[in-house]
Amino acid sequence: MQQYILALDQGTTSSRAILFDRQGQVHATAQREYPQHFPQPGWVEHDALDIWNSQLACAREVLRQAGVSAEQVTGIGIANQRETTLVWDRASGAPIGRAIVWQDRRTAEACDRLRGEGKAELVQSRTGLELDAYFSATKLQWLLDHVPGARVRAERGELAFGTVDSWLVFKLCGRHVTDASNAARTMLFNIHTMRWDEDLLDLFGIPPSLLPEVVASSGAVGAADEQWFGRRIPIAGIAGDQQAATFGQACHRRGMVKNTYGTGCFMLMHAGERPAVSHNRLLSTVGWKIDGRTDYALEGSVFMGGATVQWLRDGLGIIRQSGEVEALALSVPDSGGVMLVPAFVGLGAPHWDPYARGTIVGMTRGTTAGHIARAAVEAIAYQSAELLAAMQKDADCAVSEVRADGGAARNDMLMQFQADLLKVPVIRPQVTETTALGAAYLAGLALGFWRTQEEIAAQWRVERRFEPQMTSARRDELMARWARAVEHAKSWAVPESA
């Protein structure tokens, strides 16, 4: 009987479930979008039960569509949107409020205060992260301080905190755990000692009883209850979505780079077995922990990647489906001098400006929807080009290629423009669902479905290679123009009291 690994890929705007066979090929896929909540400017929330219900429905649907029984599923791997912060009642499992999403900027001023108190160096030295509202610590602090009774209940040990992986595992099997890659994104975890950091818990006022147990990224943590799929299925792989994608892209050696073009864009370089130190405002983070060994990564985070295209669809209404953006962008030969800086929720690396806001510059009476669409697509590439430039400085090594994945990686125009700006080939693999694939590989390794990382790396295949074609002079001109546009976007929403 054919066996599969079930990957749960819980993303920012949708939940997906994918079945992978032993060759690492997609056997079946199911996907469901779920509501986004924007109660105030800069605030982004999810209903925790929407996350769970959409993910469970996808998992059941993919088995039904494929005609695969639960007996044919060797195990489950989980990849998840990172930093998004949930708190629930340990006894009832009921969330105490909506989840605060990684894009949410409500705690930017709290981070400013801590930075003013000189705490940024402590945070960076212990966690490898910037002191920023992007991460979970200040989101969790906000929930404890603003949900009535939450802090008292937390002190009594009645509540549980988790990122989305923790929430899914809790719902599936009742355990309260997270893996090292997700723990490293909370701003509460020491990536050198690989433990929750007492000084940081004190700094943010977080009771230790809230925290999940930290487990390996590849290893059995429990089994999904029989009620969900008709039999108990081992849960054996957990990783934050970007670390999972790095593993799925077979970037298993130091210096290898992947870039995921999803809701945001996330570029990771394998940094080896020791945390890298960034001098260019990138993040040093845990890649994964397997068999007692921790692999680290350098990361650059762009908050608005594919979400910029969603804005063209849902906000401006100039496309009906995201897939239409490439044709609209190609309806003009270039952007006509238009630059779109999609700082809708601030700017991530290497700027880290929570007060930047979306900006369009260079428009004339001749500007059309095509020019704006092209500027939006090109903005994704400009932001990623900034990341690679910073990454090569930090790593002190030349990058020979970038492996691309995620939904927007299917856009040929974007991939070619990206290669032109990066000055290195951009390679799209045959399987672009590498986030889910990485989660599957991590689970399969623990369960013997795949035996070694070398066996996994041998399954990686090129679908298309995009070679740089732009002259250096033209590239430099465009990057300089982009830098000018970014300066216009910065600090736009600084509070009047600042």
Side-chain angles (χ1 to χ4, degrees):
M1 195 164 50
Q2 179 77 20
Q3 293 294 115
Y4 303 93
I5 297 289
L6 172 62
L8 307 183
D9 182 4
Q10 206 299 304
T12 308
T13 57
S14 69
S15 297
R16 289 186 295 175
I18 302 180
L19 281 172
F20 290 96
D21 62 23
R22 289 189 190 276
Q23 287 69 50
Q25 296 298 307
V26 174
H27 183 71
T29 302
Q31 181 170 357
R32 294 196 181 191
E33 290 192 6
Y34 59 93
Q36 310 289 302
H37 301 278
F38 310 101
Q40 295 184 34
W43 290 30
V44 188
E45 297 178 346
H46 291 158
D47 186 316
L49 293 177
D50 285 342
I51 291 174
W52 162 244
N53 289 329
S54 63
Q55 189 63 79
L56 178 62
C58 285
R60 288 171 164 169
E61 182 182 338
V62 79
L63 296 178
R64 185 172 59 252
Q65 282 183 359
V68 169
S69 69
E71 286 72 22
Q72 291 176 265
V73 180
T74 299
I76 295 172
I78 297 172
N80 57 283
Q81 54 165 313
R82 305 171 303 170
E83 298 93 21
T84 294
T85 302
L86 304 92
V87 179
W88 62 90
D89 183 282
R90 286 185 180 276
S92 69
I96 67 167
R98 284 180 181 159
I100 302 181
V101 179
W102 58 272
Q103 296 167 316
D104 190 283
R105 310 308 294 168
R106 75 186 66 182
T107 61
E109 290 185 58
C111 292
D112 289 344
R113 286 194 297 273
L114 289 169
R115 201 174 293 108
E117 294 168 9
K119 302 300 184 183
E121 197 280 329
L122 169 67
V123 169
Q124 197 280 332
S125 66
R126 303 285 178 88
T127 69
L129 307 177
E130 290 279 327
L131 177 51
D132 192 82
Y134 172 30
F135 305 105
S136 308
T138 55
K139 301 180 193 299
L140 176 55
Q141 184 181 41
W142 191 95
L143 286 169
L144 295 180
D145 290 338
H146 289 83
V147 175
R151 185 166 288 282
V152 172
R153 294 177 66 199
E155 295 284 0
R156 291 201 298 251
E158 297 174 6
L159 302 181
F161 150 72
T163 43
V164 170
D165 60 308
S166 295
W167 172 240
L168 293 179
V169 172
F170 179 82
K171 294 295 288 183
L172 285 167
C173 73
R175 284 199 68 190
H176 185 210
V177 302
T178 189
D179 93 295
S181 73
N182 278 295
R185 312 298 297 191
T186 61
M187 215 157 63
L188 299 170
F189 187 73
N190 189 316
I191 64 171
H192 306 279
T193 64
M194 297 296 285
R195 288 186 168 87
W196 298 115
D197 192 284
E198 293 182 7
D199 293 335
L200 295 177
L201 295 178
D202 289 342
L203 178 65
F204 295 105
I206 307 301
S209 63
L210 276 170
L211 302 173
E213 176 189 354
V214 181
V215 299
S217 309
S218 179
V221 297
D225 194 83
E226 186 176 351
Q227 65 178 308
W228 306 127
F229 304 110
R231 78 175 270 267
R232 291 170 59 81
I233 302 175
I235 304 165
I238 305 172
D241 50 10
Q242 303 314 316
Q243 289 94 332
T246 308
F247 197 80
Q249 283 275 38
C251 293
H252 301 161
R253 301 190 312 276
R254 186 177 182 276
M256 297 182 74
V257 176
K258 73 89 198 175
N259 197 27
T260 295
Y261 298 83
T263 300
C265 288
F266 301 89
M267 185 176 288
L268 272 71
M269 172 188 282
H270 192 298
E273 294 182 60
R274 295 180 181 177
V277 177
S278 176
H279 302 287
N280 293 278
R281 307 199 73 186
L282 298 179
L283 308 176
S284 182
T285 195
V286 171
W288 47 79
K289 184 176 181 181
I290 302 174
D291 293 334
R293 166 180 161 159
T294 302
D295 286 42
Y296 292 89
L298 264 177
E299 176 176 335
S301 310
V302 166
F303 297 154
M304 293 290 292
T308 310
V309 176
Q310 291 177 327
W311 173 73
L312 296 180
R313 181 193 69 189
D314 301 335
L316 290 190
I318 63 174
I319 54 174
R320 289 172 299 174
Q321 297 178 341
S322 296
E324 297 174 1
V325 72
E326 184 172 10
L328 181 57
L330 287 171
S331 70
V332 292
D334 54 44
S335 70
V338 175
M339 286 278 178
L340 189 159
V341 183
F344 298 98
V345 291
L347 288 170
H351 306 285
W352 297 107
D353 183 351
Y355 304 115
R357 287 297 178 265
T359 306
I360 304 177
V361 296
M363 290 190 294
T364 68
R365 283 290 300 271
T367 298
T368 67
H371 293 112
I372 293 173
R374 188 160 187 129
V377 172
E378 291 180 351
I380 300 171
Y382 283 123
Q383 293 175 100
S384 296
E386 290 182 312
L387 299 183
L388 188 67
M391 200 165 276
Q392 292 193 106
K393 290 176 185 175
D394 274 338
D396 193 28
C397 68
V399 172
S400 60
E401 65 181 33
V402 171
R403 297 184 173 186
D405 56 68
R410 292 189 287 270
N411 185 320
D412 289 351
M413 190 213 98
L414 171 59
M415 293 295 96
Q416 184 56 58
F417 191 67
Q418 187 69 87
D420 289 340
L421 293 184
L422 296 181
K423 297 192 291 188
V424 298
V426 172
I427 302 176
R428 185 168 63 202
Q430 288 182 2
V431 177
T432 56
E433 301 291 356
T434 53
T435 298
L437 181 58
Y441 279 151
L442 289 166
L445 270 179
L447 299 169
F449 196 80
W450 294 287
R451 292 165 298 183
T452 64
Q453 291 187 36
E454 289 74 22
E455 180 184 354
I456 287 169
Q459 293 185 348
W460 188 85
R461 296 284 187 275
V462 175
E463 185 266 323
R464 183 167 173 183
R465 183 182 180 95
F466 296 86
E467 296 284 351
Q469 297 175 357
M470 187 180 289
T471 66
S472 293
R474 177 60 174 163
R475 176 195 175 276
D476 292 346
E477 175 190 349
L478 290 175
M479 289 304 300
R481 188 182 298 171
W482 168 255
R484 287 172 56 204
V486 169
E487 288 304 312
H488 287 293
K490 284 185 173 179
S491 304
W492 186 262
V494 170
E496 292 183 7
S497 58

